[in-house]
Amino acid sequence: MLVDSPPEASTAPAPTAPRRRHALRSAGLLGSVAVLAAVVVLGIAVGAKPIPLDQVWHGVFHYSGTDTDVVVHDVRIPRTLLGLMAGAALGLAGTVMQALTRNPLADPGVLGINAGASAAVVSAISFFGVTSLTGYVWFAFAGAAVVSVAVYVLGGTRNATPVRLALAGTALTAVLVGYLNAVNLMDTAALDKMRFWTVGSLAAATMPTVTDVAPFLAVGGVLALLLARPLNALALGDDQARALGTRLTRTRVLAMVAVTLLCGGATAACGPIVYVGLMVPHVVRAITGPDLRWILPYSAVLSPVLLLGADVLGRVAARPGELQVGIVTALIGGPVFIYLVRRRRMAQL
């Protein structure tokens, strides 16, 4: 006599759904890497000055010192590498910032890191006579680090909450912007040198700049990826995170260290490029769901796609000149940000 076994039938499909989601996410991540590789090739092959592909190939693999080789090897390759690293850093920093503050509209600027880096750069130019990018990179990074520590202290250290950290960052940003404007008004030479940097650009990239910021961005990136699990717990609320064994203070401190390393290094090298850390995590969250173990790797791959794509668009749109990448990302990000705010308000009604 045959006996039905509904429990086995009902439980059999259960493991397949998570496996299917995992497979789809993995395939999507591999596809994103392929898109990034294509954009990297475009970043090297396409510029304000048209260069035939065979000469681009020669400049990459058979450098001989010709004019086109210099453009490809000494200008476009460092620019593309810096865009690759800075884009990944901004995407990771934005994702961590949104998880830390539990605010999906937050970006690294909430903690005042951009303002701290900018204030340090204008101080270096105005008071110490620093003129080279490799010189004031270190001032920008130090300014970002000091502001991060100040935000954490003002936010209450052990009693820090997402709201307190955001308020402290906003207050410090207002003070630093006032200082920045005052120095620029009193020192026109500093203003002239700051204008290019504050727009946000990859055009001044050199290999020394890339090698200077690479260690900081690498350490910050690894730290951000390692924080995926505790930040997932933190998203459930402080009480739930404690119940799951998460150390809130340590997680918040490490998250701020990661954001400082990532956003501070990227801002120091490229200037304060906006919206990359805001837009990409939202797009990724729609693809992967709320799990930071997937959001962080996706953001690290898709953010440089956006940044390098915007840089290539800026080079092509204004030939023989070019639009700085910070302008292009702002033109793209402004409407997207308005859409996100309106959608969030509609969801709350």
Side-chain angles (χ1 to χ4, degrees):
M1 178 175 167
L2 296 176
V3 179
D4 293 333
S5 53
E8 294 181 2
S10 61
T11 57
T16 62
R19 290 175 185 171
R20 186 176 302 165
R21 285 196 299 268
H22 182 85
L24 288 174
R25 289 168 177 170
S26 300
L29 187 59
L30 290 175
S32 300
V33 171
V35 173
L36 176 59
V39 175
V40 167
V41 172
L42 281 177
I44 297 173
V46 178
K49 177 184 178 180
I51 298 177
L53 289 179
D54 60 331
Q55 295 183 28
V56 172
W57 180 272
H58 188 275
V60 174
F61 297 104
H62 307 287
Y63 182 80
S64 60
T66 64
D67 290 343
T68 55
D69 284 356
V70 169
V71 170
V72 173
H73 192 271
D74 297 342
V75 178
R76 291 187 185 176
I77 290 179
R79 183 172 184 164
T80 302
L81 289 175
L82 184 60
L84 180 65
M85 295 191 309
L90 292 173
L92 288 171
T95 303
V96 172
M97 194 68 254
Q98 291 174 13
L100 181 64
T101 61
R102 295 200 284 271
N103 179 3
L105 296 180
D107 71 349
V110 169
L111 288 186
I113 292 176
N114 288 349
S118 300
V121 168
V122 77
S123 298
I125 293 172
S126 184
F127 301 129
F128 299 101
V130 178
T131 57
S132 66
L133 180 64
T134 53
Y136 61 67
V137 154
W138 298 100
F139 283 88
F141 188 80
V146 169
V147 169
S148 295
V149 173
V151 166
Y152 188 68
V153 171
L154 293 174
T157 58
R158 290 183 178 274
N159 297 319
T161 63
V163 174
R164 288 182 179 180
L165 292 175
L167 289 175
T170 302
L172 279 177
T173 297
V175 173
L176 291 170
V177 168
Y179 166 79
L180 184 66
N181 291 333
V183 173
N184 283 335
L185 287 174
M186 292 186 294
D187 188 345
T188 55
L191 174 61
D192 289 339
K193 293 172 183 175
M194 276 287 294
R195 279 186 300 183
F196 183 78
W197 184 82
T198 53
V199 169
S201 173
L202 301 174
T206 61
M207 285 309 298
T209 305
V210 172
T211 55
D212 281 346
V213 300
F216 299 103
L217 299 184
V219 173
V222 171
L223 183 57
L225 293 170
L226 292 176
L227 286 171
R229 287 183 181 274
L231 286 175
N232 271 341
L234 200 63
L236 301 175
D238 290 359
D239 293 337
Q240 289 288 342
R242 286 194 191 96
L244 293 172
T246 301
R247 298 180 182 179
L248 301 185
T249 300
R250 186 179 70 173
T251 299
R252 289 189 175 119
V253 169
L254 291 177
M256 291 185 66
V257 169
V259 170
T260 300
L261 291 171
L262 292 167
C263 191
T267 301
C270 308
I273 297 175
V274 296
Y275 291 118
V276 174
L278 173 66
M279 287 189 293
V280 175
H282 272 280
V283 175
V284 171
R285 204 173 284 113
I287 299 171
T288 66
D291 191 346
L292 286 166
R293 292 174 298 175
W294 287 101
I295 296 175
L296 286 166
Y298 264 88
S299 296
V301 173
L302 291 179
S303 294
V305 170
L306 172 61
L307 187 60
L308 288 173
D311 189 42
V312 171
L313 180 61
R315 295 185 230 172
V316 174
R319 281 177 173 172
E322 62 178 64
L323 289 175
Q324 305 307 322
V325 67
I327 297 174
V328 180
T329 57
L331 290 173
I332 298 171
V336 173
F337 182 74
I338 293 172
Y339 167 75
L340 292 173
V341 172
R342 288 180 60 85
R343 189 180 69 171
R344 185 167 174 78
R345 287 179 178 173
M346 290 293 292
Q348 292 174 347
L349 293 178

